[in-house]
Amino acid sequence: MYKYGIIETEARGKQNRDVVLTWLFEENGTLSIFGAGMLPDYKDGQDRPWQEYADQVTALVVDDGITTIGEGAFKYCDAMTAIALPSSVTAIETAAFYSAMSLAAIDIPEGVLRIGDEAFLHCDTLTRVDLPKGLQELGRGVFSYCDGLETTH
């Protein structure tokens, strides 16, 4: 069993065409995001096209070409244990992974320049974060209430 769909965006690409992003949720719990451009903001975390499966997502795979992880995009994905972000990502917006309570570690790619406020707030089991050397902006409370966090590089 798998589900898929189109992510509606208001963005325009270089040729002034609509940016098309798609998603795929697989029975094994993997959510994949495909395309190029910015993943939209989902401020309350409830209006995402994959919302019906948010509590079943165990792994996130983001395709090379995605540049921004939108606000609240993976908020309350409580079962998420693994995140694979490509080097094309330059920004992780506010509360993008808020309350991903099963996430133990994350390697943030070198291309990321900015991590928004509370991006990883309440990731209770997070113990290790590898931050990129070129990171320019780290928002307020990014790792607040990550009580198990032992190492950041």
Side-chain angles (χ1 to χ4, degrees):
M1 187 263 327
Y2 63 90
K3 293 287 185 175
Y4 64 92
I6 293 175
I7 300 169
E8 295 186 26
T9 70
E10 295 178 12
R12 296 286 225 192
K14 289 182 181 176
Q15 282 84 31
N16 202 29
R17 293 188 207 139
D18 288 334
V19 172
V20 177
L21 304 176
T22 57
W23 62 276
L24 171 69
F25 178 74
E26 299 175 68
E27 189 173 335
N28 67 2
T30 301
L31 175 64
S32 300
I33 307 293
F34 303 99
M38 298 171 59
L39 191 60
D41 291 338
Y42 301 102
K43 293 183 191 288
D44 66 1
Q46 300 298 313
D47 53 348
R48 306 167 286 199
W50 54 86
Q51 178 57 33
E52 178 180 350
Y53 308 101
D55 63 345
Q56 300 169 50
V57 173
T58 59
L60 172 67
V61 178
V62 177
D63 197 25
D64 192 33
I66 303 296
T67 58
T68 301
I69 305 299
E71 182 175 341
F74 304 103
K75 190 175 191 177
Y76 302 122
C77 288
D78 298 343
M80 187 182 299
T81 60
I83 298 173
L85 298 177
S87 59
S88 59
V89 172
T90 59
I92 299 172
E93 296 296 347
T94 299
F97 296 99
Y98 178 101
S99 196
M101 293 191 289
S102 299
L103 185 64
I106 184 163
D107 297 322
I108 299 174
E110 283 302 321
V112 174
L113 303 174
R114 181 170 53 80
I115 301 176
D117 296 343
E118 302 177 347
F120 294 92
L121 182 81
H122 279 293
C123 291
D124 300 345
T125 60
L126 192 62
T127 59
R128 183 187 57 79
V129 176
D130 285 336
L131 296 171
K133 291 177 181 74
L135 185 65
Q136 297 174 2
E137 182 182 339
L138 190 63
R140 290 178 298 108
V142 171
F143 300 109
S144 290
Y145 302 103
C146 296
D147 297 333
L149 189 58
E150 299 168 359
T151 310
T152 57
H153 295 104

